[in-house]
Amino acid sequence: MFKLTQVSTATRYALCLLALPTSVAANEIQPVTSMERMIVTGSRLAERIDEVPSSVTLIDQQALAQDMLISTELQNLLAFRVPGLAPSTGTSSNSGQNLRGRAALVLIDGVPQSTPLRNGQLDISSIDAGVIERIEVIKGSTSIYGNGASGGIINYITKHASDDKARVNVGVSSKFSAVKLQDSAGYRVDTSIDGTLDDFSYVFSAITEKTGVERDAEGDIIGLVYGLSETESNNFFTKLGYQFDDDKSIKLTYNYYEAQQDADLIDVIGSVNSGVKTYAIKNTTGIANQGVPQGPRGNHNVMLKYVDQDIFPHTQLTLDGYAQKIENMFFYSTALANLSEGYAGGQSLIKSEKQGMRINFVTQVDWDNIESTFIYGLDALEDISSQPLEDGRIWVPEMDMQNLAFYLQTKFVIADDWILKAGIRQDSVDLTVDDYQTLKLCRTESTCSVPFDVTGGDLAYDSTTYNVGLRYNLSDAFSPFMSFSQGADISDLGRLLRTATVNDINLIRTEASIVDNYELGFSGYMGELRYEFAAYRSESELGTSNSFDATTGVYLPVRAPQKIWGYEAQLDYDLTEDISTGLSYSWIEGKDTEADVYLDGSTISAPKLTSYVNWQANDAFNVGIHYIYVGDRNRFEKINDQYVGAQGPIEHYNVVNVSSSYQLNQWQLSLGIENLLNEDYFSARSQAYTYGGYNTKSLGTTINLGVKARF
């Protein structure tokens, strides 16, 4: 006989938050207890972290707000806060910024922002940090969310309405170089209003930011490949909710984000092999720059969500529909030249349109000393993606994917201390590609790739993936956990199609890659000390790496088995009531097991150490210091006296950032300093990537001054 009267307070709270995925996110309901140790992403339900048998990272609103005093770039923030995430690239692209060596699926309130069919690796910066309430990061391949999540999940949970009738927030700030002020000053304006009127809730936000030129430690303008100089971004966000009764609610969310670089600059190209940096100068040639502004032209997201907390006895229903449209424009490149046909270069864009619906049920039943939860439902998604060129040529043809998935996720809390989780997901994917011709690309007028007429057709993928995890909360001081999880990944199919060397799509190795992820770790609390350690290993029979074709200059995909392994450790300690500190360390390595060679810098990152000290001097004044160390990685030899591909050696560097704020009634004054010591360095990616124009130095000392008010 079911005994719901024995459900714990925490479990009742979890039940009231159950959602698909994060559909009734932790930030959208006022908690009866602190949400600091709750997570909603990993299993599609709200649960305490000490009931999750894997490592996760939570970035709450307080940490977000403090880090944004230094920089609003989500890549920088995540690189510091998330062990296992590769160091920031310092650009708009997160290429090489993998999660445990594999691609992460980026979500906004559970809606995918990544474009896995043609992964342009611009998804981390798909929303302004100013509309995010908290970020939840689940590490390791997952069978919960499907394609594109072989490395884990990064879920941006957007802001919720306050209980006030109207709450107004206004913030203004300016960021500029302390090395050379000229043309470097930019501005940011962040405004929002939110509140609750009876059963109706609302959030309206408008954010605009314009950067000046970004300068390195020597005062030179940082290069333009995925550059951030003279970029204007806009984010418009709306969330409307209505509570029909205690059980039923509906919510409509719309988010628009754009960030385009329109700079009157030209690059002076250097090289990793020569040791000369790439930097930008003012265009004084009198000839207009080729191409159009690079960056997201417009990222549209519409989400409609209906929740019934008691559709059946002990069962919650969530209906979740969404639509998305993305256009990401890349920089102009001479690598897309075809001189015989009049093209001196080209500029590509990734276009992606998604629409989907998810039906999710959560049923909870308890007996004796076992609390059990069953999450089950249906995911339906259509994803139409392509990569044309701005001049009308087609590089990657339109790919129309239809994905239908059924899943069951279970959780058992046994005698309060043992947590057992297990799940299964069945995916059926149908993908259609019309006949197309691969693009002819030329290094010179006579040195070109060979175009192929490829017969299109239908591709079908059926996969069943599993996950199982166990955690034992032996004591507050020691809680071991272990997990196994699979991910089915057909990500970046477009890269395979655009480099086809056969005349039929069915002859291209487009098989899905099944990633097996194993994790073992422990965490605990001892007084004011909190810690976590995790070791992991992931294996796949079909990874994706690149091989350089010296004749055409094209990097061709290679499907080969991969093994990736590493470990992470994190410590946090409250020295006093006013001073807190902590550090994290992550190390990762990987190999192509067929050729027995190490994986390059596009997949494997250098070791990373971070630490912080935060001092709350009084109710009004706060100071924080962040330190980031990126270590050495040198696994490759030169080929013909040159490093190729992403095989450049990485040398260590150190970065110190400072944030401070002073609260005066409803006003806040803030000062942030990025790269306080003016470290002169190339980012890890800039050192590893030998491609022309990528070896740019990172920001020198940069000041961010701001003022905010809340009414």
Side-chain angles (χ1 to χ4, degrees), residues 408-476:
L408 169 66
Q409 182 71 28
T410 64
K411 174 183 174 182
F412 302 94
V413 180
I414 305 168
D416 293 328
D417 296 327
W418 290 90
I419 295 92
L420 174 64
K421 300 178 72 172
I424 182 172
R425 179 183 174 100
Q426 171 64 45
D427 278 276
S428 296
V429 177
D430 295 304
L431 190 139
T432 301
V433 179
D434 292 335
D435 297 347
Y436 70 99
Q437 184 183 68
T438 60
L439 192 63
K440 182 180 179 181
L441 302 177
C442 303
R443 300 185 71 182
T444 67
E445 193 163 357
S446 60
T447 306
C448 302
S449 62
V450 179
F452 276 80
D453 290 313
V454 181
T455 301
D458 298 324
L459 300 173
Y461 307 90
D462 289 297
S463 62
T464 304
T465 52
Y466 306 89
N467 67 86
V468 61
L470 180 66
R471 185 181 191 110
Y472 178 41
N473 291 327
L474 175 64
S475 65
D476 290 342

Side-chain angles (χ1 to χ4, degrees), residues 81-342:
R81 295 286 178 179
V82 182
L85 186 71
S88 173
T89 67
T91 69
S92 62
S93 168
N94 48 271
S95 174
Q97 195 174 22
N98 300 317
L99 188 57
R100 290 185 171 178
R102 299 191 184 273
L105 182 66
V106 177
L107 311 171
I108 295 177
D109 290 335
V111 174
Q113 304 302 300
S114 303
T115 55
L117 290 178
R118 175 71 274 271
N119 189 356
Q121 298 177 314
L122 297 172
D123 43 358
I124 284 182
S125 299
S126 56
I127 188 174
D128 193 282
V131 298
I132 299 174
E133 183 78 25
R134 62 193 256 133
I135 303 174
E136 300 180 351
V137 182
I138 312 298
K139 302 169 216 174
S141 58
T142 175
S143 56
I144 303 298
Y145 287 91
N147 184 44
S150 60
I153 302 291
I154 300 173
N155 192 9
Y156 301 136
I157 299 173
T158 57
K159 289 187 174 180
H160 70 283
S162 68
D163 290 333
D164 300 330
K165 290 184 178 180
R167 180 179 62 178
V168 178
N169 294 276
V170 179
V172 180
S173 62
S174 179
K175 187 174 74 170
F176 53 88
S177 172
V179 181
K180 185 177 180 180
L181 179 61
Q182 181 183 359
D183 298 327
S184 68
Y187 65 85
R188 175 183 172 87
V189 180
D190 185 338
T191 62
S192 68
I193 181 171
D194 62 85
T196 301
L197 300 171
D198 297 325
D199 296 322
F200 175 73
S201 63
Y202 64 92
V203 180
F204 299 104
S205 172
I207 302 172
T208 185
E209 183 168 3
K210 178 73 165 63
T211 64
V213 298
E214 296 208 319
R215 297 188 181 274
D216 62 23
E218 297 177 311
D220 293 322
I221 302 173
I222 296 172
L224 301 178
V225 175
Y226 298 111
L228 297 171
S229 291
E230 297 185 354
T231 296
E232 182 174 350
S233 64
N234 293 286
N235 200 118
F236 304 109
F237 175 78
T238 300
K239 182 183 288 186
L240 305 174
Y242 188 79
Q243 193 76 32
F244 295 104
D245 55 34
D246 290 343
D247 294 328
K248 302 177 185 64
S249 64
I250 193 168
K251 194 176 297 295
L252 174 66
T253 304
Y254 171 72
N255 189 75
Y256 172 83
Y257 177 75
E258 64 175 1
Q260 293 190 278
Q261 182 188 53
D262 190 7
D264 188 22
L265 302 167
I266 55 176
D267 271 341
V268 179
I269 303 296
S271 166
V272 166
N273 286 291
S274 69
V276 178
K277 72 180 179 183
T278 294
Y279 63 99
I281 59 175
K282 287 291 184 180
N283 184 0
T284 59
T285 64
I287 302 173
N289 289 339
Q290 294 178 299
V292 298
Q294 63 172 305
R297 284 182 167 181
N299 182 341
H300 301 264
N301 284 276
V302 180
M303 295 159 272
L304 181 64
K305 196 177 306 292
Y306 172 78
V307 178
D308 188 335
Q309 301 283 0
D310 195 26
I311 185 72
F312 304 124
H314 323 313
T315 300
Q316 182 209 54
L317 165 69
T318 301
L319 296 176
D320 188 6
Y322 61 90
Q324 181 200 69
K325 182 178 180 180
I326 290 175
E327 287 191 2
N328 285 329
M329 179 63 67
F330 293 87
F331 56 89
Y332 184 89
S333 173
T334 56
L336 297 174
N338 185 342
L339 298 176
S340 64
E341 297 183 13

Side-chain angles (χ1 to χ4, degrees), residues 358-420:
R358 298 172 293 206
I359 305 172
N360 190 72
F361 295 93
V362 179
T363 299
Q364 181 160 345
V365 292
D366 303 328
W367 58 90
D368 294 331
N369 61 348
I370 300 177
E371 300 176 5
S372 59
T373 304
F374 301 89
I375 308 113
Y376 49 98
L378 167 70
D379 285 355
L381 168 66
E382 181 180 36
D383 182 347
I384 302 175
S385 296
S386 62
Q387 189 176 15
L389 301 191
E390 178 69 11
D391 56 35
R393 291 178 287 167
I394 300 299
W395 199 9
V396 177
E398 191 171 271
M399 300 165 286
D400 187 344
M401 183 189 77
Q402 312 249 348
N403 187 181
L404 186 65
F406 299 90
Y407 59 88
L408 169 66
Q409 182 71 28
T410 64
K411 174 183 174 182
F412 302 94
V413 180
I414 305 168
D416 293 328
D417 296 327
W418 290 90
I419 295 92
L420 174 64

Side-chain angles (χ1 to χ4, degrees), residues 55 79 82-87 98-102 139 518-519 532-538 563-570 584-591 598-599 603-610 629-635:
S55 59
V82 182
L85 186 71
N98 300 317
L99 188 57
R100 290 185 171 178
R102 299 191 184 273
K139 302 169 216 174
Y518 306 85
E519 183 176 23
E532 181 175 272
F533 175 85
Y536 58 88
R537 178 190 183 101
S538 68
K563 177 177 66 176
I564 296 173
W565 65 96
Y567 63 88
E568 302 162 6
Q570 185 164 3
S584 70
Y585 182 77
S586 51
W587 180 90
I588 183 173
E589 194 49 88
K591 276 192 170 185
Y598 287 103
L599 300 177
T603 303
I604 303 299
S605 61
K608 184 183 71 174
L609 171 72
T610 70
Y629 168 82
V630 176
D632 300 315
R633 185 174 188 257
N634 186 358
R635 294 292 192 184

